[in-house]
Amino acid sequence: MYDVIALGELLVDLAERSKDEAGYPTLAANPGGAPGNFLAALSAYGKKTAFLAKVGDDTFGRLLVGTMQRAGIDGRGIRIDPDTFTTLAFVTFDAHGDRSFAFARKPGADMYLTAAQVEAADISRFGIVHAGSCSLSGGSAAEATVYALKEAARQRKLVSFDVNYRDLLWDGDRAAAAKAVQSVLPYVDLLKVSDDETDMVGGEEVLPLLRERYGISAVVETLGRDGARCFFDGKTLPCPGIPSDAVDTTGAGDAFWGGFLSTLCEAGVTDSLMLSENLILSAMKRGCAAGALCVKQKGAMESLPTSEALNNFLKELSQ
C-alpha cells in the first residue's frame, strides 16, 4: 500500500548549477513538473509514493525514471513506450537568479497513459490519488486523468488536485483550460489553487461555495507572500504563525502541498470524512513551514526540505 499516487506529465528539470573548467554549464537532473516535484517533497517527508505515467524508451526516458527513483518516487507505475519520446524541461538562471523554462517535445508524441491503460487495480493500491492541471491539457492525458479521478472517487479514495494555469495553457486558451479544470472538480476532495489562478474554478468569491457546488471538502488557497488559507466546513482557516513569504518562490507551492498531505498521511486519512478542523490546521502549519523553508533555501526542486529540517523548523517556530 502506498501513501500517494500521482498522475500527469513527467519532466526532467536540468538545472544549471555551475560551470566546468571550460566554462560550460554543469547540469543536475531533478524531478520536474508539479506532480513530480510534489511527490519528491512527500518522499522527503518519508512517505511512500509512486507515479502513474508513460515515458519514452529513450535516453531521456531512462534518465527521467532514474531521476524519479533517486528522489524516492517508485517508478513501477511508469509505462515504457518504445514509440514515444520524453518531454524535458531545460532550466537556466538569468542575471537575477530567476529560473526560465524551455520545453522540448517530439512533435505529435503522446506522453500520457490512455484511459484503457489505467486500471482500477492501479488506483486501489493507494490511499490518496493526486493530479495536477498539467494532465488536462488535452488528448489522452485528459481522458486518462478524468478516468483515474472518477475511479478514485468511486473507490472513495481521497482525491487531491492542484491547479496551475501555466501547465494548461499550451495553446493559450484560458477559457478551455478553466473548463477542463472544472470538469474534474466533482471528483475532487482537496483542491489547491493559488490566488492568481482562482478564475480557473470560477473566481475567488466562489471558493467558499465549492463544497456545496461540487462536494469538495477543503479548498486551500496559497497567497504568495501572505501565506495561505483554507475554506473548510463553512469556515475560513488562516495559515497559523508561519513567515509571510511561505509559498512565494519556484517549488515552494509543491513543498507546501507535500507538507500538507504528509500530515494527512500520518493521520491515516484516506477518506474526506476523516478530515477535521484541527487536522486541517496542523496540515496548513506544516505545509506553510515547508514552503517557507523552500523559500529560505532559494526555492526549486533541489531545495525541498527534508522531514528532519521541517521538524526542526517547526520546533524553532514554537519557541
Side-chain angles (χ1 to χ4, degrees):
M1 182 73 173
Y2 293 81
D3 290 309
V4 179
I5 184 176
L7 51 141
E9 186 161 27
L10 293 174
L11 308 173
V12 171
D13 171 3
L14 298 175
E16 183 178 326
R17 303 296 300 277
S18 60
K19 296 185 182 298
D20 60 19
E21 293 181 357
Y24 293 102
T26 301
L27 301 177
N30 299 288
N37 197 24
F38 153 79
L39 283 186
L42 270 177
S43 297
Y45 310 146
K47 306 306 161 204
K48 191 173 182 182
T49 62
F51 213 111
L52 189 63
K54 181 173 71 178
V55 301
D57 186 14
D58 56 7
T59 301
F60 291 155
R62 290 188 287 273
L63 170 65
L64 190 149
V65 173
T67 299
M68 290 288 159
Q69 291 173 333
R70 285 192 296 276
I73 302 167
D74 196 319
R76 283 179 292 181
I78 299 176
R79 312 290 199 268
I80 305 295
D81 187 341
D83 299 321
T84 306
F85 271 57
T86 301
T87 302
L88 292 181
F90 297 94
V91 183
T92 59
F93 294 91
D94 64 19
H96 304 289
D98 293 328
R99 298 157 63 83
S100 62
F101 292 79
F103 294 93
R105 174 192 275 164
K106 181 181 178 183
D110 188 347
M111 292 308 307
Y112 299 91
L113 292 171
T114 64
Q117 292 171 306
V118 180
E119 300 178 2
D122 290 323
I123 304 301
S124 66
R125 293 178 296 156
F126 304 92
I128 298 175
V129 178
H130 174 80
S133 48
C134 58
S135 60
L136 291 175
S137 57
S140 68
E143 293 173 8
T145 299
V146 171
Y147 170 81
L149 296 187
K150 185 184 294 187
E151 177 61 26
R154 188 189 69 79
Q155 294 186 24
R156 299 188 64 82
K157 301 291 183 180
L158 192 73
V159 176
S160 159
F161 194 82
D162 185 0
V163 177
N164 188 331
Y165 78 90
R166 289 169 296 183
D167 293 327
L168 267 167
L169 295 179
W170 294 98
D171 58 2
D173 189 343
R174 194 177 182 89
K179 184 177 180 180
V181 169
Q182 292 170 30
S183 72
V184 301
L185 293 184
Y187 315 121
V188 174
D189 297 303
L190 295 171
L191 179 69
K192 174 180 169 288
V193 58
S194 70
D195 54 355
D196 60 353
E197 296 162 351
T198 56
D199 62 315
M200 287 290 184
V201 294
E204 189 166 317
E205 64 279 2
V206 308
L207 294 183
L209 307 176
L210 292 181
R211 181 185 183 98
E212 179 180 346
R213 183 172 298 181
Y214 295 107
I216 297 174
S217 297
V219 180
V220 178
E221 183 184 20
T222 54
L223 301 167
R225 293 190 176 277
D226 295 321
R229 60 181 175 177
C230 180
F231 301 98
F232 176 74
D233 199 21
K235 300 178 181 178
T236 302
L237 306 179
C239 164
I242 302 296
S244 61
D245 60 350
V247 289
D248 192 28
T249 193
T250 302
D254 298 314
F256 170 91
W257 203 230
F260 187 99
L261 283 191
S262 68
T263 306
L264 304 190
C265 291
E266 289 170 7
V269 174
T270 56
D271 190 294
S272 61
L273 297 178
M274 302 172 71
L275 296 173
S276 67
E277 181 176 331
N278 286 338
L279 185 57
I280 291 289
L281 285 170
S282 296
M284 290 280 285
K285 184 171 184 177
R286 189 174 196 184
C288 284
L293 264 183
C294 196
V295 172
K296 190 176 182 180
Q297 296 169 181
K298 307 303 182 186
M301 293 77 170
E302 64 273 16
S303 298
L304 295 168
T306 63
S307 181
E308 181 180 6
L310 185 55
N311 290 333
N312 289 337
F313 186 55
L314 286 168
K315 288 179 182 178
E316 292 176 11
L317 292 173
S318 65
Q319 294 175 355

